Amino acid sequence: MVGPSRPQIVLFGSSIVQMSFGHGGWGAILSEVYARKADIILRGYYGWNSTRALEVVDQVFPKDAEVQPSLVVVYFGGNDSMAPHPSGLGPHVPLSEYVDNMKKIAIHLQSLSDTTRIIFLSCPPVDEAKLRQNQSPYLSEVIRTNELCKTYSDACVELCQELGLQVVDLFSTLQKADDWETVCFTDGIHLSAQGSKLVAAEILRVIKEAEWTPSLHWKSMPTEFSEDSPYDLVSADGKNTVNSSEWTYFWEEQWD
């Protein structure tokens, strides 16, 4: 543990979470936006479904931890929505079981503290044509369709409305981009830099608009060690120093 203690924002999910710090990912974007304000903690597990997540949620988020997260961003659903394999093996989870799993995960997270906030990300669409081209010789056929993705996405959104949780509808969000199949993915499933920008923008919008006390919007949070110092950069007139604590000019995109 290093100090000073900061609020924790935990990203909990499958490969779209695990890979969120690569390819200009949305996790990396959040880490940049919340620099010196909150710690972005990654708990991503490639290939996982909601059943596996439910099995370990109390280990990832123990109720007796000294410090509880301020925000948990949760994504499971893409693997759940895959068509079932004839063997009964694989990541597919029936829709009703998926909804029940996600509800139990939400209830556990809500029990951590009165100030632990939750955002669910729903199942995104896929580029079906690219998926067919990218079938691995080492794996059974992966059947993921946008019809299935939408069904699971809608179910996640409906559950969040029922529980009063914040949700980002990824199925709709990614399709707002022109040529979304081409620009939003690296392989038909996982997010490109452009896809991640759309996800990050929606997460930041939800955080900004949420009526949470305290606010978790980055502009509302204190910046660590932001006091003026004689060791700051010297101004052009040579008479004063310039505090750079809040500078964001170096961001690739100016986030709200």
Side-chain angles (χ1 to χ4, degrees), residues 194-252:
Q194 183 59 39
S196 275
K197 285 181 180 180
L198 294 172
V199 174
E202 280 300 292
I203 292 173
L204 291 171
R205 178 191 62 78
V206 167
I207 293 172
K208 182 180 181 180
E209 294 178 0
E211 296 179 355
W212 293 333
T213 303
S215 172
L216 296 177
H217 183 234
W218 66 275
K219 290 182 179 178
S220 301
M221 300 176 75
T223 299
E224 192 173 276
F225 299 136
S226 60
E227 61 275 3
D228 293 337
S229 168
Y231 300 109
D232 285 334
L233 296 171
V234 179
S235 61
D237 62 12
K239 297 179 180 179
N240 299 290
T241 57
V242 179
N243 190 325
S244 60
S245 300
E246 307 292 344
W247 288 0
T248 62
Y249 75 90
F250 46 83
W251 290 1
E252 183 180 349

Side-chain angles (χ1 to χ4, degrees), residues 32-172:
E32 181 174 56
V33 170
Y34 280 91
R36 299 174 66 170
K37 296 174 180 288
D39 288 331
I40 309 298
I41 299 174
L42 192 64
R43 292 294 182 269
Y45 304 93
Y46 196 109
W48 277 34
N49 59 20
S50 62
T51 301
R52 292 190 75 178
L54 183 60
E55 289 174 351
V56 304
V57 69
D58 59 344
Q59 297 177 59
V60 179
F61 302 97
K63 290 186 179 182
D64 60 353
E66 280 189 36
V67 178
Q68 294 294 355
S70 296
L71 172 64
V72 184
V73 180
V74 181
Y75 167 71
F76 293 99
N79 297 313
D80 302 67
S81 71
M82 287 172 56
H85 192 271
S87 67
L89 300 172
H92 169 75
V93 175
L95 183 64
S96 60
E97 185 179 341
Y98 165 71
V99 171
D100 190 51
N101 289 342
M102 296 298 281
K103 184 173 184 177
K104 289 175 179 175
I105 289 169
I107 290 170
H108 178 83
L109 295 175
Q110 287 174 320
S111 74
L112 297 178
S113 80
D114 292 337
T115 56
T116 295
R117 311 305 181 187
I118 304 166
I119 299 174
F120 274 13
L121 309 180
S122 77
C123 184
V126 295
D127 180 350
E128 294 183 28
K130 195 160 191 175
L131 279 181
R132 288 191 292 269
Q133 295 170 5
N134 290 347
Q135 287 291 335
S136 169
Y138 304 104
L139 298 173
S140 296
E141 183 182 8
V142 174
I143 301 176
R144 295 180 74 162
T145 68
N146 282 318
E147 181 179 1
L148 288 169
C149 291
K150 186 177 189 306
T151 299
Y152 280 69
S153 177
D154 289 348
C156 180
V157 172
E158 184 177 338
L159 173 66
C160 290
Q161 292 170 344
E162 173 192 327
L163 298 178
L165 299 179
Q166 299 291 337
V167 61
V168 173
D169 180 349
L170 289 187
F171 191 84
S172 299

